[in-house]
Amino acid sequence: MTSCDLLLRRCRLLSPAPSVAVEEVEIAIADGKLVAIAPRLDYTASQELDLQGRLVSPPFVESHIHLDSAMTVGEPRWNLSGTLFEGIEIWGERKRHLSAEEIRERAIATLRQQAAQGVLFVRSHVDVSEPSLTALHALLAVREQVQDWITLQLVAFPQDGFYGSPRNVELIEEALRLGTDAVGGIPHYEFTREDGVNSVHRIFELAQKYDRLIDIHCDETDDDQSRFLEVVAACALRSGLGDRVTASHTTAFGSYNNAYATKLLGLVGRSRLNFVANPLINLTLQGRADTYPKRRGLTRVKELWQHGLNVSLGYDCIQDPWYPLGTGNMLDVAHMALHACHMTGTSEIDACYDMVTWNGAKTLHLGDRYGLEVGKPANLIALDARDRFDALGRRPVVTHVISRGRLLVETTPPVTHWHSGPSGGDRPSPSAHENLRIPQ
Ligand code: 17E
Ligand code: FE2
C-alpha cells in the first residue's frame, strides 16, 4: 500500500467539461500535490477526510479586485451619486492618509474572508498614481506573506491615468521594477482620446520590456464613443501577446451599436484577449445618467462567451468608495451575472460557474498551477452541491478549503430545525442553506 499525507473519500469530482457527469472518486495528496484520483484508492494516509459525496471543485478565482481600497467604505465620505467619478474623488481623498499597516490589515482580512469562501487565487489592482507608493509596498509584502495559502497577483494600476499627473508614468515603471505581475491602465479616464490611445501603446511597451501580463480597465463608461477596446485588441494581435492581455470592465461594449459591436467581436476573437466582467459593481455604477429605460452597464458577456472568448468574473470591490457591500463570495458574482447577462439556459448557467473557476485561471495565466489533475498542486474546495447548476441555484457554503495540500478552512453549514408546523416535531429539514445529502 502506498502512503500519502491526505486522503479524501467520497468526492463528487467536477470535470472541466460541463457535459461530463460528476463522478465519485477518492483523492490522494502528498507533498502538496494531487498524486492519485480514482474510484477506489489503496493508500494509507496521515489524515483522512470523508467528504460525504460533496461536490469537489477547483478553487474559485477572483480575477478582479481592488485590495488597496477594500473595507474603506464611508472614509472619508459616502459615494452619494454612485458614480465611478465620485468614487475616484473619494479614493483620492482617502489615499492621502494611507499607512502600510492599515493596508496590510485590510488586505489580509479580505483575503481571509475570500479564502474561507473557497477563493485561492486573486488578482488585485493597486493604485500606483500616488507618489509614495504606500499601497504598492504594502501589497507586495502581503503577496509574500500569504503565499503559503493563497496566490495573489498584483496589477500596477494608475487610477488617475498615465497622464493625469506628470509623475505617473515614472511611478508605473517603478511599480514594474518593484515586481508587479501585470501592468494596467485606464484609457477612458485620460484627458483626451489621444492620451488614452498613447497610454495603451505605453502599456504594451512596458509589458514587453518587463515581461509582464496586461490587465487594463477599459471603456468603463456608458459612453458609446469610448472605443479603446479596439486599440487594446489590435495591440494584443500585433504584439503577439494575445492571451497575456485582459480587458476589464469594457462596459461601453454594452452601449455600442450592433454594426460596430459585430466588427469588434471579430477583432477581439482574433486577438484572443481575456475579458473580465464585474456585474455587481457595474450594475450599480453604470446607467447613472440614464432616465428610463436604464442600461445594465455590462459588457456583452453572453456574446463574448458564444464567440469562444475567455470571460471571467470579478467582484471588483468589497466595501469601498465604489460599492458599499460585498462579501467576496464568487457564487454571488456568478449568480448576478447569470441574471444580468440573460444566461439562464442550462449550459449558460454552467458557463457562469466556469467564469469564476477555470476561466479565471486562464485570465490569471495560471497554466498547470490550476485544475484537478494528477501532478498539479493540491488546491481544491468542497461544496454542499450536486453540480454547477445546484451550486449556483442554492449558493451553499464551501465546507472545506484545501490549499497546498493542507486543510486550510472548514465551515459547518447551518442546520434548520422546525419546531412545529407541516413537518412536525424537531426534525432537521432541507433549507436553502442546509446540506442536501446526495442519495448513496
Ligand atoms: N477604479 C476604477 O477605475 N473602476 C472601478 N470599478 C473601481 C476602481 C472599483
Ligand atoms: Fe476595477
mmCIF file of all heavy atoms in Angstrom, residues 76-113:
data_model
loop_
_atom_site.group_PDB
_atom_site.id
_atom_site.type_symbol
_atom_site.label_atom_id
_atom_site.label_comp_id
_atom_site.label_asym_id
_atom_site.label_seq_id
_atom_site.Cartn_x
_atom_site.Cartn_y
_atom_site.Cartn_z
ATOM 1 N N PRO A 76 -13.383 59.148 3.388
ATOM 2 C CA PRO A 76 -13.913 59.994 4.449
ATOM 3 C C PRO A 76 -15.407 60.276 4.278
ATOM 4 O O PRO A 76 -16.000 60.899 5.153
ATOM 5 C CB PRO A 76 -13.100 61.276 4.293
ATOM 6 C CG PRO A 76 -12.782 61.350 2.822
ATOM 7 C CD PRO A 76 -12.652 59.929 2.372
ATOM 8 N N ARG A 77 -16.018 59.833 3.174
ATOM 9 C CA ARG A 77 -17.450 60.110 2.999
ATOM 10 C C ARG A 77 -18.063 59.052 2.087
ATOM 11 O O ARG A 77 -17.341 58.294 1.425
ATOM 12 C CB ARG A 77 -17.655 61.521 2.425
ATOM 13 C CG ARG A 77 -16.985 61.760 1.075
ATOM 14 C CD ARG A 77 -16.941 63.247 0.716
ATOM 15 N NE ARG A 77 -16.085 63.473 -0.434
ATOM 16 C CZ ARG A 77 -16.496 63.494 -1.694
ATOM 17 N NH1 ARG A 77 -17.764 63.270 -1.985
ATOM 18 N NH2 ARG A 77 -15.646 63.710 -2.676
ATOM 19 N N TRP A 78 -19.357 59.019 2.052
ATOM 20 C CA TRP A 78 -20.126 58.061 1.260
ATOM 21 C C TRP A 78 -20.215 58.555 -0.189
ATOM 22 O O TRP A 78 -20.259 59.766 -0.418
ATOM 23 C CB TRP A 78 -21.528 57.964 1.878
ATOM 24 C CG TRP A 78 -22.155 56.614 1.724
ATOM 25 C CD1 TRP A 78 -23.091 56.273 0.797
ATOM 26 C CD2 TRP A 78 -21.934 55.455 2.522
ATOM 27 N NE1 TRP A 78 -23.455 54.959 0.969
ATOM 28 C CE2 TRP A 78 -22.761 54.429 2.013
ATOM 29 C CE3 TRP A 78 -21.099 55.158 3.603
ATOM 30 C CZ2 TRP A 78 -22.794 53.142 2.552
ATOM 31 C CZ3 TRP A 78 -21.132 53.883 4.145
ATOM 32 C CH2 TRP A 78 -21.959 52.893 3.622
ATOM 33 N N ASN A 79 -20.305 57.619 -1.143
ATOM 34 C CA ASN A 79 -20.467 57.984 -2.554
ATOM 35 C C ASN A 79 -21.960 58.183 -2.837
ATOM 36 O O ASN A 79 -22.697 57.218 -3.035
ATOM 37 C CB ASN A 79 -19.884 56.865 -3.431
ATOM 38 C CG ASN A 79 -19.925 57.181 -4.912
ATOM 39 O OD1 ASN A 79 -20.674 58.044 -5.364
ATOM 40 N ND2 ASN A 79 -19.126 56.459 -5.686
ATOM 41 N N LEU A 80 -22.411 59.412 -2.852
ATOM 42 C CA LEU A 80 -23.862 59.667 -2.940
ATOM 43 C C LEU A 80 -24.384 59.636 -4.371
ATOM 44 O O LEU A 80 -25.536 59.291 -4.619
ATOM 45 C CB LEU A 80 -24.212 61.000 -2.258
ATOM 46 C CG LEU A 80 -23.973 60.996 -0.743
ATOM 47 C CD1 LEU A 80 -24.329 62.345 -0.138
ATOM 48 C CD2 LEU A 80 -24.778 59.881 -0.060
ATOM 49 N N SER A 81 -23.542 59.993 -5.351
ATOM 50 C CA SER A 81 -24.003 59.912 -6.744
ATOM 51 C C SER A 81 -23.941 58.472 -7.246
ATOM 52 O O SER A 81 -24.596 58.121 -8.219
ATOM 53 C CB SER A 81 -23.128 60.791 -7.641
ATOM 54 O OG SER A 81 -21.806 60.261 -7.682
ATOM 55 N N GLY A 82 -23.132 57.657 -6.582
ATOM 56 C CA GLY A 82 -22.974 56.262 -7.002
ATOM 57 C C GLY A 82 -22.155 56.100 -8.266
ATOM 58 O O GLY A 82 -22.113 55.004 -8.840
ATOM 59 N N THR A 83 -21.479 57.142 -8.713
ATOM 60 C CA THR A 83 -20.747 57.063 -9.983
ATOM 61 C C THR A 83 -19.290 56.662 -9.778
ATOM 62 O O THR A 83 -18.725 56.824 -8.691
ATOM 63 C CB THR A 83 -20.757 58.430 -10.695
ATOM 64 O OG1 THR A 83 -20.177 59.391 -9.807
ATOM 65 C CG2 THR A 83 -22.167 58.851 -11.085
ATOM 66 N N LEU A 84 -18.690 56.205 -10.885
ATOM 67 C CA LEU A 84 -17.251 55.934 -10.901
ATOM 68 C C LEU A 84 -16.476 57.189 -10.523
ATOM 69 O O LEU A 84 -15.526 57.138 -9.736
ATOM 70 C CB LEU A 84 -16.853 55.471 -12.320
ATOM 71 C CG LEU A 84 -15.363 55.326 -12.605
ATOM 72 C CD1 LEU A 84 -14.761 54.207 -11.777
ATOM 73 C CD2 LEU A 84 -15.125 55.059 -14.093
ATOM 74 N N PHE A 85 -16.901 58.327 -11.075
ATOM 75 C CA PHE A 85 -16.138 59.558 -10.865
ATOM 76 C C PHE A 85 -16.122 59.993 -9.405
ATOM 77 O O PHE A 85 -15.082 60.371 -8.875
ATOM 78 C CB PHE A 85 -16.682 60.687 -11.755
ATOM 79 C CG PHE A 85 -16.553 60.373 -13.215
ATOM 80 C CD1 PHE A 85 -17.661 60.382 -14.050
ATOM 81 C CD2 PHE A 85 -15.327 60.032 -13.759
ATOM 82 C CE1 PHE A 85 -17.541 60.057 -15.397
ATOM 83 C CE2 PHE A 85 -15.190 59.716 -15.100
ATOM 84 C CZ PHE A 85 -16.302 59.723 -15.928
ATOM 85 N N GLU A 86 -17.276 59.926 -8.753
ATOM 86 C CA GLU A 86 -17.270 60.306 -7.336
ATOM 87 C C GLU A 86 -16.441 59.310 -6.518
ATOM 88 O O GLU A 86 -15.743 59.688 -5.579
ATOM 89 C CB GLU A 86 -18.701 60.420 -6.771
ATOM 90 C CG GLU A 86 -18.662 60.983 -5.350
ATOM 91 C CD GLU A 86 -20.028 61.302 -4.745
ATOM 92 O OE1 GLU A 86 -21.035 61.320 -5.471
ATOM 93 O OE2 GLU A 86 -20.057 61.537 -3.527
ATOM 94 N N GLY A 87 -16.499 58.041 -6.923
ATOM 95 C CA GLY A 87 -15.659 57.039 -6.252
ATOM 96 C C GLY A 87 -14.178 57.391 -6.367
ATOM 97 O O GLY A 87 -13.424 57.298 -5.389
ATOM 98 N N ILE A 88 -13.758 57.826 -7.555
ATOM 99 C CA ILE A 88 -12.339 58.174 -7.757
ATOM 100 C C ILE A 88 -11.975 59.396 -6.890
ATOM 101 O O ILE A 88 -10.899 59.451 -6.287
ATOM 102 C CB ILE A 88 -12.036 58.417 -9.252
ATOM 103 C CG1 ILE A 88 -12.204 57.112 -10.043
ATOM 104 C CG2 ILE A 88 -10.610 58.959 -9.435
ATOM 105 C CD1 ILE A 88 -12.043 57.237 -11.563
ATOM 106 N N GLU A 89 -12.910 60.368 -6.799
ATOM 107 C CA GLU A 89 -12.655 61.556 -5.951
ATOM 108 C C GLU A 89 -12.486 61.159 -4.487
ATOM 109 O O GLU A 89 -11.575 61.619 -3.801
ATOM 110 C CB GLU A 89 -13.855 62.502 -6.018
ATOM 111 C CG GLU A 89 -13.804 63.555 -7.085
ATOM 112 C CD GLU A 89 -15.112 64.352 -7.074
ATOM 113 O OE1 GLU A 89 -15.618 64.712 -5.985
ATOM 114 O OE2 GLU A 89 -15.647 64.577 -8.178
ATOM 115 N N ILE A 90 -13.396 60.299 -4.006
ATOM 116 C CA ILE A 90 -13.352 59.906 -2.588
ATOM 117 C C ILE A 90 -12.065 59.135 -2.294
ATOM 118 O O ILE A 90 -11.387 59.369 -1.303
ATOM 119 C CB ILE A 90 -14.599 59.070 -2.207
ATOM 120 C CG1 ILE A 90 -15.848 59.934 -2.352
ATOM 121 C CG2 ILE A 90 -14.474 58.508 -0.799
ATOM 122 C CD1 ILE A 90 -17.151 59.166 -2.227
ATOM 123 N N TRP A 91 -11.734 58.235 -3.206
ATOM 124 C CA TRP A 91 -10.487 57.476 -3.031
ATOM 125 C C TRP A 91 -9.286 58.430 -3.060
ATOM 126 O O TRP A 91 -8.330 58.270 -2.294
ATOM 127 C CB TRP A 91 -10.376 56.392 -4.101
ATOM 128 C CG TRP A 91 -9.059 55.675 -4.106
ATOM 129 C CD1 TRP A 91 -8.149 55.623 -5.125
ATOM 130 C CD2 TRP A 91 -8.497 54.882 -3.034
ATOM 131 N NE1 TRP A 91 -7.061 54.862 -4.767
ATOM 132 C CE2 TRP A 91 -7.254 54.398 -3.479
ATOM 133 C CE3 TRP A 91 -8.926 54.559 -1.744
ATOM 134 C CZ2 TRP A 91 -6.423 53.603 -2.688
ATOM 135 C CZ3 TRP A 91 -8.099 53.764 -0.948
ATOM 136 C CH2 TRP A 91 -6.875 53.294 -1.414
ATOM 137 N N GLY A 92 -9.362 59.454 -3.904
ATOM 138 C CA GLY A 92 -8.290 60.461 -3.966
ATOM 139 C C GLY A 92 -8.080 61.133 -2.614
ATOM 140 O O GLY A 92 -6.946 61.430 -2.221
ATOM 141 N N GLU A 93 -9.172 61.350 -1.877
ATOM 142 C CA GLU A 93 -9.056 61.949 -0.538
ATOM 143 C C GLU A 93 -8.510 60.919 0.454
ATOM 144 O O GLU A 93 -7.616 61.208 1.244
ATOM 145 C CB GLU A 93 -10.436 62.442 -0.060
ATOM 146 C CG GLU A 93 -10.963 63.613 -0.892
ATOM 147 C CD GLU A 93 -12.482 63.815 -0.734
ATOM 148 O OE1 GLU A 93 -13.044 63.469 0.328
ATOM 149 O OE2 GLU A 93 -13.101 64.323 -1.693
ATOM 150 N N ARG A 94 -9.038 59.697 0.360
ATOM 151 C CA ARG A 94 -8.641 58.647 1.308
ATOM 152 C C ARG A 94 -7.175 58.268 1.148
ATOM 153 O O ARG A 94 -6.472 57.990 2.120
ATOM 154 C CB ARG A 94 -9.540 57.417 1.102
ATOM 155 C CG ARG A 94 -9.248 56.234 1.997
ATOM 156 C CD ARG A 94 -9.479 56.553 3.467
ATOM 157 N NE ARG A 94 -9.331 55.384 4.325
ATOM 158 C CZ ARG A 94 -8.165 54.893 4.717
ATOM 159 N NH1 ARG A 94 -7.030 55.474 4.361
ATOM 160 N NH2 ARG A 94 -8.133 53.817 5.513
ATOM 161 N N LYS A 95 -6.689 58.294 -0.108
ATOM 162 C CA LYS A 95 -5.332 57.774 -0.320
ATOM 163 C C LYS A 95 -4.240 58.728 0.155
ATOM 164 O O LYS A 95 -3.073 58.364 0.198
ATOM 165 C CB LYS A 95 -5.131 57.330 -1.772
ATOM 166 C CG LYS A 95 -4.935 58.392 -2.808
ATOM 167 C CD LYS A 95 -4.896 57.737 -4.190
ATOM 168 C CE LYS A 95 -4.687 58.735 -5.306
ATOM 169 N NZ LYS A 95 -4.848 58.144 -6.632
ATOM 170 N N ARG A 96 -4.638 59.943 0.554
ATOM 171 C CA ARG A 96 -3.641 60.838 1.166
ATOM 172 C C ARG A 96 -3.306 60.391 2.586
ATOM 173 O O ARG A 96 -2.358 60.877 3.185
ATOM 174 C CB ARG A 96 -4.177 62.271 1.215
ATOM 175 C CG ARG A 96 -4.195 62.932 -0.150
ATOM 176 C CD ARG A 96 -4.562 64.412 -0.039
ATOM 177 N NE ARG A 96 -5.465 64.763 -1.114
ATOM 178 C CZ ARG A 96 -6.672 65.315 -0.962
ATOM 179 N NH1 ARG A 96 -7.136 65.623 0.236
ATOM 180 N NH2 ARG A 96 -7.414 65.573 -2.012
ATOM 181 N N HIS A 97 -4.112 59.483 3.135
ATOM 182 C CA HIS A 97 -3.906 59.086 4.538
ATOM 183 C C HIS A 97 -3.707 57.574 4.665
ATOM 184 O O HIS A 97 -4.237 56.950 5.579
ATOM 185 C CB HIS A 97 -5.113 59.514 5.388
ATOM 186 C CG HIS A 97 -5.478 60.946 5.191
ATOM 187 N ND1 HIS A 97 -4.732 61.974 5.720
ATOM 188 C CD2 HIS A 97 -6.467 61.535 4.494
ATOM 189 C CE1 HIS A 97 -5.263 63.135 5.359
ATOM 190 N NE2 HIS A 97 -6.312 62.893 4.614
ATOM 191 N N LEU A 98 -2.959 56.997 3.734
ATOM 192 C CA LEU A 98 -2.742 55.548 3.796
ATOM 193 C C LEU A 98 -1.545 55.247 4.704
ATOM 194 O O LEU A 98 -0.569 56.000 4.715
ATOM 195 C CB LEU A 98 -2.438 54.998 2.398
ATOM 196 C CG LEU A 98 -3.579 55.023 1.388
ATOM 197 C CD1 LEU A 98 -3.053 54.655 0.001
ATOM 198 C CD2 LEU A 98 -4.689 54.057 1.814
ATOM 199 N N SER A 99 -1.625 54.134 5.426
ATOM 200 C CA SER A 99 -0.412 53.652 6.088
ATOM 201 C C SER A 99 -0.250 52.181 5.719
ATOM 202 O O SER A 99 -1.230 51.476 5.481
ATOM 203 C CB SER A 99 -0.503 53.807 7.612
ATOM 204 O OG SER A 99 -1.223 52.719 8.163
ATOM 205 N N ALA A 100 1.022 51.755 5.680
ATOM 206 C CA ALA A 100 1.310 50.372 5.277
ATOM 207 C C ALA A 100 0.564 49.402 6.194
ATOM 208 O O ALA A 100 0.018 48.395 5.732
ATOM 209 C CB ALA A 100 2.813 50.119 5.326
ATOM 210 N N GLU A 101 0.518 49.722 7.472
ATOM 211 C CA GLU A 101 -0.065 48.811 8.444
ATOM 212 C C GLU A 101 -1.572 48.624 8.221
ATOM 213 O O GLU A 101 -2.084 47.507 8.225
ATOM 214 C CB GLU A 101 0.223 49.345 9.861
ATOM 215 C CG GLU A 101 -0.069 48.375 10.979
ATOM 216 C CD GLU A 101 0.470 46.963 10.735
ATOM 217 O OE1 GLU A 101 1.507 46.796 10.059
ATOM 218 O OE2 GLU A 101 -0.196 46.009 11.204
ATOM 219 N N GLU A 102 -2.292 49.720 8.000
ATOM 220 C CA GLU A 102 -3.748 49.559 7.826
ATOM 221 C C GLU A 102 -4.060 48.885 6.490
ATOM 222 O O GLU A 102 -5.012 48.123 6.384
ATOM 223 C CB GLU A 102 -4.505 50.885 8.015
ATOM 224 C CG GLU A 102 -4.077 52.038 7.124
ATOM 225 C CD GLU A 102 -5.098 52.390 6.050
ATOM 226 O OE1 GLU A 102 -6.195 51.836 6.055
ATOM 227 O OE2 GLU A 102 -4.751 53.229 5.182
ATOM 228 N N ILE A 103 -3.257 49.134 5.466
ATOM 229 C CA ILE A 103 -3.494 48.448 4.186
ATOM 230 C C ILE A 103 -3.279 46.944 4.368
ATOM 231 O O ILE A 103 -4.074 46.124 3.909
ATOM 232 C CB ILE A 103 -2.568 48.988 3.087
ATOM 233 C CG1 ILE A 103 -2.904 50.447 2.802
ATOM 234 C CG2 ILE A 103 -2.679 48.157 1.809
ATOM 235 C CD1 ILE A 103 -1.883 51.153 1.965
ATOM 236 N N ARG A 104 -2.192 46.615 5.056
ATOM 237 C CA ARG A 104 -1.891 45.212 5.299
ATOM 238 C C ARG A 104 -3.048 44.545 6.051
ATOM 239 O O ARG A 104 -3.521 43.476 5.683
ATOM 240 C CB ARG A 104 -0.602 45.115 6.119
ATOM 241 C CG ARG A 104 0.120 43.780 6.019
ATOM 242 C CD ARG A 104 1.270 43.732 6.998
ATOM 243 N NE ARG A 104 0.765 43.743 8.367
ATOM 244 C CZ ARG A 104 0.350 42.653 9.012
ATOM 245 N NH1 ARG A 104 0.387 41.489 8.424
ATOM 246 N NH2 ARG A 104 -0.118 42.742 10.250
ATOM 247 N N GLU A 105 -3.523 45.208 7.080
ATOM 248 C CA GLU A 105 -4.611 44.633 7.883
ATOM 249 C C GLU A 105 -5.877 44.430 7.067
ATOM 250 O O GLU A 105 -6.517 43.389 7.128
ATOM 251 C CB GLU A 105 -4.944 45.538 9.077
ATOM 252 C CG GLU A 105 -4.087 45.248 10.275
ATOM 253 C CD GLU A 105 -4.315 46.242 11.398
ATOM 254 O OE1 GLU A 105 -5.399 46.882 11.427
ATOM 255 O OE2 GLU A 105 -3.399 46.383 12.226
ATOM 256 N N ARG A 106 -6.249 45.449 6.279
ATOM 257 C CA ARG A 106 -7.475 45.339 5.479
ATOM 258 C C ARG A 106 -7.317 44.265 4.409
ATOM 259 O O ARG A 106 -8.229 43.479 4.134
ATOM 260 C CB ARG A 106 -7.822 46.685 4.841
ATOM 261 C CG ARG A 106 -8.356 47.706 5.838
ATOM 262 C CD ARG A 106 -8.902 48.956 5.139
ATOM 263 N NE ARG A 106 -7.887 49.877 4.676
ATOM 264 C CZ ARG A 106 -7.482 50.032 3.432
ATOM 265 N NH1 ARG A 106 -8.009 49.300 2.464
ATOM 266 N NH2 ARG A 106 -6.556 50.912 3.110
ATOM 267 N N ALA A 107 -6.142 44.233 3.784
ATOM 268 C CA ALA A 107 -5.927 43.266 2.697
ATOM 269 C C ALA A 107 -5.954 41.839 3.229
ATOM 270 O O ALA A 107 -6.595 40.955 2.639
ATOM 271 C CB ALA A 107 -4.600 43.555 1.991
ATOM 272 N N ILE A 108 -5.304 41.620 4.359
ATOM 273 C CA ILE A 108 -5.259 40.251 4.889
ATOM 274 C C ILE A 108 -6.644 39.836 5.384
ATOM 275 O O ILE A 108 -7.083 38.706 5.139
ATOM 276 C CB ILE A 108 -4.151 40.091 5.951
ATOM 277 C CG1 ILE A 108 -2.820 40.221 5.207
ATOM 278 C CG2 ILE A 108 -4.280 38.767 6.702
ATOM 279 C CD1 ILE A 108 -1.596 39.821 5.930
ATOM 280 N N ALA A 109 -7.357 40.755 6.001
ATOM 281 C CA ALA A 109 -8.725 40.424 6.437
ATOM 282 C C ALA A 109 -9.579 40.053 5.218
ATOM 283 O O ALA A 109 -10.368 39.099 5.258
ATOM 284 C CB ALA A 109 -9.336 41.603 7.186
ATOM 285 N N THR A 110 -9.420 40.796 4.127
ATOM 286 C CA THR A 110 -10.205 40.496 2.915
ATOM 287 C C THR A 110 -9.799 39.152 2.326
ATOM 288 O O THR A 110 -10.656 38.343 1.948
ATOM 289 C CB THR A 110 -10.011 41.625 1.878
ATOM 290 O OG1 THR A 110 -10.270 42.875 2.503
ATOM 291 C CG2 THR A 110 -10.942 41.454 0.692
ATOM 292 N N LEU A 111 -8.503 38.898 2.244
ATOM 293 C CA LEU A 111 -8.036 37.622 1.677
ATOM 294 C C LEU A 111 -8.508 36.432 2.518
ATOM 295 O O LEU A 111 -8.876 35.383 1.979
ATOM 296 C CB LEU A 111 -6.501 37.619 1.563
ATOM 297 C CG LEU A 111 -5.914 38.562 0.502
ATOM 298 C CD1 LEU A 111 -4.412 38.750 0.710
ATOM 299 C CD2 LEU A 111 -6.186 38.036 -0.914
ATOM 300 N N ARG A 112 -8.518 36.610 3.830
ATOM 301 C CA ARG A 112 -9.021 35.522 4.700
ATOM 302 C C ARG A 112 -10.499 35.274 4.443
ATOM 303 O O ARG A 112 -10.959 34.130 4.376
ATOM 304 C CB ARG A 112 -8.786 35.864 6.174
ATOM 305 C CG ARG A 112 -7.337 35.682 6.618
ATOM 306 C CD ARG A 112 -7.128 36.238 8.008
ATOM 307 N NE ARG A 112 -7.934 35.544 9.003
ATOM 308 C CZ ARG A 112 -7.514 34.499 9.720
ATOM 309 N NH1 ARG A 112 -6.299 34.025 9.539
ATOM 310 N NH2 ARG A 112 -8.303 33.938 10.606
ATOM 311 N N GLN A 113 -11.242 36.353 4.288
ATOM 312 C CA GLN A 113 -12.674 36.218 4.009
ATOM 313 C C GLN A 113 -12.891 35.520 2.670
ATOM 314 O O GLN A 113 -13.782 34.681 2.513
ATOM 315 C CB GLN A 113 -13.271 37.624 3.989
ATOM 316 C CG GLN A 113 -14.759 37.673 4.040
ATOM 317 C CD GLN A 113 -15.250 39.116 4.213
ATOM 318 O OE1 GLN A 113 -14.692 39.878 5.005
ATOM 319 N NE2 GLN A 113 -16.262 39.483 3.455
#
